[in-house]
Structure formats: C-alpha cells, structure tokens
Amino acid sequence: MSPTARKTVVLVGDRRLALTNTDKVLYPETGTTKGRVIEYYEGVAPWMIPHVKDRPVTRKRWANGVDGKVFFEKNLPDSAPDWVRHHTIHHSEHDNEYPIVDDLPTLVWMAQQAALELHVPQWRFGPRGGQQNPDRLVLDLDPGDGVGLPECVEVAVAARELLHGMGLDPYPVTSGSKGIHLYAALDGRATTAHVSEVAHELAKALEQDMPDLVLSSMSRAERTGKVFVDWSQNNGNKTTIAPYSLRGRDRPTVAAPRTWKELEERGLAQLTLDEVLERLEARGDFLHPVASASLAVGRDDHGHWDGDRTRQANEAEQPGRDRLAAYRAKRDASKTPEPVPEDAPTVRKDGTPTFVIQEHHATRDHYDFRLEHDGVLVSWALPKGEPTDPGKNHLAVQTEDHPLEYGAFEGTIPKDEYGGGTVTIWDDGTYELEKWREGEEVIVTLHGRTGGARRLALLHTRGRGRGRDGDEKNWLIHRTKDQPDRLADGGRPAEPSRASRSGTAHDGQGRIDRAADSETAPADRRTMQASLAKGEPTLDPADWAFEMKWDGIRALATVRDGAVTLRSRNDNDLTVQYPELQELGDRAGVDGVFDGEIVALDDRGRPSFQLLQNRMGLTRKREVDAARETTPVRLLLFDVLEADGHELTRLGYDARRQALETVVEPGGAIDVPPAYQGDLARAMSDSAEQGLEGVVAKKRSSKYAEGRRSEAWLKLKHHATQEVVVGGWKPGSGRRAGGVGSLLLGVPGPGGLEYIGKVGTGFRDRDLDEIGTVLDALERKTSPFVDVPRPDARDAHWVTPRRVGEVEFAEWTSDGRLRQPSWRGWRVDKDPSDVVRET
C-alpha cells in the first residue's frame, strides 16, 4: 500500500480501513514512515498473530514519531471499529476492555493508530473470556550499564541448561531494545502464581551460579555491570513486548526470534524491520514451536497438531463444502514442501482410481493409506502398517482428505509443521472398487508396484464393540481371506526360481520374482543415506535390523555381463582404482546394482580408513598394482537396488536382504556380512569390542530411498566423526616449518561456509606433503569462510573449498567449534554439498 496519500480507504482482508498520514515519518533517524510501519505489520502478520492470538494487547503509541510523546493504552477506544474482538478484565477499582489481535485487519488498524509496540501477557483468554493458565514462561535478560548483548548471551546459555534440566525447551528472542528474551512453551496446567514462582527460582539459581554477572532482584542500584533476569513478567498482571513487535527507539528495531547458533556469533545485534521480513520469507519463524504448542490442544498418535485451526477446519468439512479446506488449514505453503493447491478439488472423469501408501517418520512412525475418491485422496493413518495376516486387523485412523497431487509426494516436512517428518512412498498403483459406504465400509483390490495385488476391507469401529461414544476417526483395516491369484507376501519376494545368467549360476543363486521391472539406468542410481541417531533410541529388533558400521568408502557396484563398474556416492568412477573387485562379476549370479563399502583391513582384520588412504586416487596401473600388494581391499555388500532386471528399491529391507543373499555368493574380495542377530545394546557392545565404528540400524519395512538421507536408517557411533570442507591452511613450525601445519575446516551453512576450527594432528609426514600439493592447486586470495576468527585467519593461506576430509573429535564447543579434532583422511567419495554438521 502506498504511503503517499493523506487519507486512503483500503480493503484489508474483508474489512475496509481508512489509512491516514501514511507519509508521516515515525522514525526520523531512518526516515521510516507510518506507511512503512503499516506495510511491516501487514507483512509480518502470518508469523506474529499466532504469538498474540487470544491475548489482551496493551499498546504504546507514538502519534508524532519516536521523538515525540508516547501514549500508553490498555482500553479499546470508542473510535475502534466494531469488528475488533475484545474482552474485559475486571480490576479492583475499574474494568479495562482489551483488544485482541487475531486477524490481519486488527493488526493493520493498530499500526494505523501508530501503535508501534504491542505488549501481551503469557496467558490467553478462554472461549468465554476467562483468564487461562499461562501457556509459556518468559525470562527477560536486561543488561545494566557496562554490559550488553554478549553478556546476555552468556546468561542465556546458562539459563538454557537449567531449563533443559526442567524438561523445557527455550527459544531466544533479541528484544529489539537492549537484551534478550527466552521463551519456553508450557502445557497450561500450572497457575500464574506457580509459573512466576518457578521463574523467580530460576533467576535466583542463575544469580547463585554467576554472582558476578547475574542479578535476580529488582534493585536498580545494583544493576551496573550485571544482567538483570526479570522473572516478574510471568505475573498475570505483567506484559512482555510481543514477538515481532516494533520498538519505539531511534531505529525501527524488532523483538526478533533468533537461533541459538546465531546468538553465539560475533557481531550479534538487534534486527530492524527490513531484516526481519527478509529472514521470515527465507527461513520462517524460529519461535513457531512455542506458538504451536500453546495453540494446540495436543498431538494425536501420529505427530499431527490438533489445535484451534485444525478443529475449525474439521468442523467446516461438511457435505457440499470444499473437501480440502481442512488440509489447507493445517498447512502453510511457504513452510512445507507438500502440495497445497489453492482450488477446490475436481473429480477425474477418466482413468482407474489410484492409491498410495506412504511411510511417514513423524513423532510416531506410521504409514498413511490413501484412496482416490471424489476428487481427493481419502486418507487413513496406519500405526502398524498394512495387515498381511487375514487373522489380524490393524487400526486405521481417518485423517483429513488430501489432494490428488499428494500421491506423488516424497520429502521432509519441517519438524515444527503439522505432520513434521520424512515421507516416502512405500507402494502405489491403481485399485478396483468393490464397495464404498461413506463412513461405514470400504472394500478395494489394490494393484501395487511393491505389494502386488491384494484385497483389503476398511470397517468403521462404530457399533463394533467400542460403544457409540468411540472415536469417530477410528476404523479397522483387514486383509480378506479371499485374495487375487497373484499375491505378494507383504512385499517380500517369493522363493526365487533357479534360473540365472547362463554359465554363471552358483548354488543358492537365482532370479528375483515378484518385483517390478527396473527402468532406472545404473548411472542415475544414488545411495540412500543414514541419519545420525539422537540420544540412545529404543529400537525393537522385530522392527529394526542392525548391521555393523564399516569404516571405508561407500560404492555402488553395477554388474553387467560379468563386468563390474564402481561409482562413489558423489558419482566418481572408482573402477580402475580397485581392479580386484571385478570378482563381483563372478560372485553375482545375475546382473544387478549393489550397495556396499570398500574397505582395507588392518593386521587385526578391522576396516581402517587411514590404511585405505593408500589406495585412494590412484589410477595409473603401475601404482595401483603396487598398492594392491601392500593394501588389498574388499567389498562388503549390504543392499541391492536391482537384480536380474527387477527393481528392488520399493521392497522392504528384509526382502532386499533376502534377495542380496540369494544372488551373491561371498568369497575372495567379496563379502555379504550378516545382519546382527540380537538387540541394539548387544550389537553396540560387540561393535566396540571388535574395534568398529558403530552400528547402523535399518527399519525392516523401509524401502530404499535413493539419493535421500532417511530416518529409516540410523547410524550410532562410538566416536564422533565429522566430514569437513577444507578452506585453508596455516604454516607449520619446527619439523613442519615450510609446509602445512594445520588445516582450516568448515561445513556448509545457510550463509556460506561456516568455520568449525582447525586440525593439526593425525597426519603422517607424507600426508602433509600430499595435502600441500593438493591445496596449492586451489589457492585463492580471500577467505571462503563467513566467520573465521582473527587469530586463526592470521598467516592463513586460503583455498577454494572443493576438497572434503574427515576428522575424529571429542565434542562440539558452545560456539560451534570442534574440540580436539584429529585428521582421518580425505573423503574423495564426497562433494562439499554432501557435508552436513553432525550434531
């Protein structure tokens, strides 16, 4: 909206507003006008409103700019539009009528009033105007004279540890003034008095731990040189500047949510309105989990939020209404990669109806079963998956209808969004409809690409022994006794036939039946990647398989007519480097594409990554032959993507494992190490005893997700390792004088290459000579890092960040640096874009 006219009537949402004096300068230092303030609040509304919704709003108005008089308002003025929501708070001597900001027009109206600052309490009004218990705790870290943001950060980090110990997850907000606010979501069960008391005890604990820096009392005389931890804003009568509110200071600074990582970066400063809007568009609301938790009634069994917005959408989903209204209400298209169509669904008039079963790793892992019907995908969540035994029924919880486009969706939904987690397609295809009684019974025969043809029945639980007051969403899914003739056994391949490639059959090897034909070229294949496990997960061996983690180079091996091609994860051809692995051409009874690890064994028979360095990068036959004599390698296979022309990636892990063991005869340089028979704790213990890296846990039902990092595979390590991008080096001293002394390391981040420290140990003398030769060719004049400290930058030689290595280290420091890193070697199988920070 243009700030040029003295008075303009505009349509905001479905409300008409008169905007006046939009060209008046409210921030003289920056020339920021009232019109720009209105534009800011209009732009920030989608992210701000969840934090102020249903809360009484106190305003601080600067009608003549921040250099003029400030007006403090609680009551809703008589001149306010009649559509502004409000509630009354009864005080001992008077009543106040407070406005509530729950929509864009109200927020823009407040900006029109030059209400630069909006303040709210930590509680919300209930449906009938009653004061609810607080849904968040806040600590205001207010620096006194002589201290500033760096000292506030130090206190914030200490407070985070205390809050974590209480089971709370704090989120930082630079206040837009001088200090930092810490917010933590509450479950709404504690009273205001109790929360305020807890906050006071937190402040006193911080003061006891940091007496020279922290003050918990209200005494202003003692604040010089200290950070006052203001706990009192949890009092029901107190308010805090709202997240994303402007401040009435010289510049248009904002109470802006931040990440812990950027809080600890050098040069931390308060953000202005332009910076905040740009960050929101690019990165979203870092404080969203606090708003989501306070708005939500709770999560259902599948990690989905069921809050006010969701309930309203479900209530609106009635016959004749837009069947995707509930779906859209639960998703923000700017934050989730899921398809979010703007239009109402249309029914397809041609073609056979489709189905999809998606594996969903959310708060609780489950499968989503979707049938195309009346222009949408009618959907159920299956906590235990599709039943394979006609004698056992599985629960099916009906969820909101999904758009047809969702049938092709695979990707990761951000963890703070509805249904956050990784979605992959387990099976899809078409179905024959036998019966569809709305809300009662559905019978279909699926024709899938993974599970083949099978007949399933969905029956609502109403009247089936659960009473009339049972959950209306609950159904049962049942595999009927009568099945199509050609039935896949739960996605597992049937007994393989004995046919094999002519002249290369081995005992126990054969073709893979009941899998889709492969149409993917080997050059287009990509490896599935494991995610680092968080903490010590509890994994049931019935649902998870455990394999040892091998310390080598990942490779995809393609067999065609007895010839073997080896490709690294970053698509480098490794074939000539490891000629002894041509043996796979004889060991595999069929053509195929196999996934495994190239390893070199030490004198105790353990894979050694440092020993493997002797073979990396050698391509000249004479050099390769010489290295083979001293450092032979083996190929340890653990998965198969294609065999005998059949596509196996859509089969489950157990099915692929069976196929691998069927078509490959171990021996010589080729091995198929068995999956571990036992639980995770024993596997980790045995792995440590054998001197191995750790364990990889793989979900038995998971398909092979090509080119994707998946939580269906979890890596658990005994020692912390980190892939790193080399961005420079520092000269050595002593016997390293004149050469490389240490390497400067980074990992890719949102803003560029983030510096994580330097490594100067773990090298052999010849390693340093080779490293120097490699880096000389990459020399550049400027630092490739966004944040390298001055002491580490001194005397540094910068290089173009193209080479990836690996280090072992003790832990991450609080400022995101590696503690006690030791060099392990180059990762020629990785590109810089493959590197992620292992947290």
Side-chain angles (χ1 to χ4, degrees), residues 263-500:
L263 214 67
E264 298 176 18
E265 292 175 350
R266 291 188 176 187
L268 178 70
Q270 304 289 345
L271 298 178
T272 63
L273 80 174
D274 292 322
E275 293 170 317
V276 168
L277 283 175
E278 183 178 350
R279 286 161 55 93
L280 282 170
E281 292 294 340
R283 305 168 68 183
D285 177 19
F286 295 130
L287 195 61
H288 178 65
V290 174
S292 294
S294 62
L295 283 170
V297 174
R299 288 185 186 269
D300 64 18
D301 286 344
H302 313 294
H304 298 159
W305 287 113
D306 185 18
D308 293 344
R309 193 174 178 212
T310 301
R311 286 200 311 276
Q312 292 167 5
N314 287 337
E315 290 165 1
E317 191 171 313
Q318 300 167 356
R321 304 291 298 268
D322 179 0
R323 293 190 64 166
L324 294 180
Y327 175 90
R328 279 191 291 269
K330 297 176 183 181
R331 291 163 177 84
D332 184 338
S334 67
K335 297 181 180 180
T336 178
E338 301 163 283
V340 185
E342 296 181 359
D343 300 326
T346 56
V347 180
R348 284 198 309 133
K349 301 295 184 182
D350 57 343
T352 306
T354 61
F355 83 93
V356 64
I357 300 176
Q358 289 160 314
E359 191 171 359
H360 193 165
H361 295 281
T363 303
R364 295 188 183 180
D365 293 349
H366 63 282
Y367 290 83
D368 292 311
F369 178 49
R370 313 190 196 281
L371 297 173
E372 178 183 346
H373 187 70
D374 286 345
V376 297
L377 291 174
V378 181
S379 301
W380 293 264
L382 310 181
K384 294 186 177 181
E386 177 189 338
T388 58
D389 183 353
K392 294 182 179 179
N393 295 328
H394 285 182
L395 176 65
V397 181
Q398 190 164 15
T399 61
E400 74 279 5
D401 295 335
H402 283 52
L404 295 183
E405 297 92 327
Y406 211 96
F409 173 67
E410 291 186 298
T412 299
I413 305 168
K415 68 176 182 177
D416 298 326
E417 293 302 302
Y418 172 85
T422 302
V423 176
T424 56
I425 296 175
W426 165 249
D427 193 15
D428 60 355
T430 61
Y431 74 89
E432 299 173 45
L433 176 61
E434 183 175 331
K435 182 185 293 187
W436 194 294
R437 295 170 54 210
E438 195 69 40
E440 297 289 341
E441 182 180 15
V442 175
I443 301 176
V444 295
T445 297
L446 306 182
H447 296 279
R449 292 194 287 174
T450 299
R454 64 268 196 200
R455 185 170 180 262
L456 300 173
L458 286 145
L459 307 172
H460 199 284
T461 58
R462 185 188 302 109
R464 300 181 184 275
R466 299 179 65 116
R468 293 186 61 83
D469 295 330
D471 193 330
E472 288 293 310
K473 299 179 180 179
N474 287 350
W475 295 58
L476 296 176
I477 186 169
H478 170 73
R479 174 175 285 219
T480 65
K481 292 182 179 179
D482 298 329
Q483 287 292 316
D485 292 337
R486 188 176 185 276
L487 175 66
D489 183 16
R492 296 169 179 263
E495 288 299 319
S497 69
R498 307 308 301 171
S500 62

Side-chain angles (χ1 to χ4, degrees), residues 160-181:
R160 176 174 57 174
E161 296 304 314
L162 290 178
L163 288 163
H164 279 167
M166 299 169 57
L168 298 177
D169 195 8
Y171 291 80
V173 174
T174 45
S175 69
S177 179
K178 296 184 297 180
I180 293 173
H181 297 160

Side-chain angles (χ1 to χ4, degrees), residues 33-54:
T33 64
K34 180 178 169 183
R36 181 62 183 134
V37 167
I38 292 172
E39 287 178 344
Y40 167 75
Y41 276 116
E42 183 181 31
V44 83
W47 297 280
M48 182 178 185
I49 288 175
H51 296 290
V52 297
K53 184 179 186 295
D54 295 329

Side-chain angles (χ1 to χ4, degrees), residues 628-695:
R628 284 181 64 179
E629 294 297 321
T630 59
T631 312
V633 298
R634 303 185 72 194
L635 177 61
L636 308 183
L637 299 175
F638 47 74
D639 218 317
V640 55
L641 290 70
E642 172 197 326
D644 201 22
H646 293 303
E647 180 67 37
L648 304 182
T649 57
R650 292 186 177 275
L651 299 183
Y653 166 85
D654 283 340
R656 299 195 310 275
R657 186 79 198 188
Q658 180 184 352
L660 177 64
E661 294 171 355
T662 298
V663 301
V664 175
E665 180 183 35
I670 310 300
D671 198 5
V672 182
Y676 190 82
Q677 302 301 315
D679 61 19
L680 177 58
R682 183 63 184 274
M684 289 294 289
S685 175
D686 285 357
S687 172
E689 187 175 328
Q690 296 172 37
L692 301 178
E693 259 201 306
V695 168

Side-chain angles (χ1 to χ4, degrees), residues 612-623:
L612 187 60
Q613 299 285 306
N614 297 332
R615 294 291 302 271
M616 290 185 185
L618 303 181
T619 57
R620 295 178 180 175
K621 186 176 186 305
R622 185 173 58 184
E623 294 177 340

Side-chain angles (χ1 to χ4, degrees), residues 590-611:
V590 297
D591 287 350
V593 179
F594 304 89
D595 191 359
E597 197 92 356
I598 300 172
V599 300
L601 304 182
D602 63 16
D603 54 8
R604 296 176 58 186
R606 302 174 304 181
S608 168
F609 187 70
Q610 279 208 326
L611 196 59

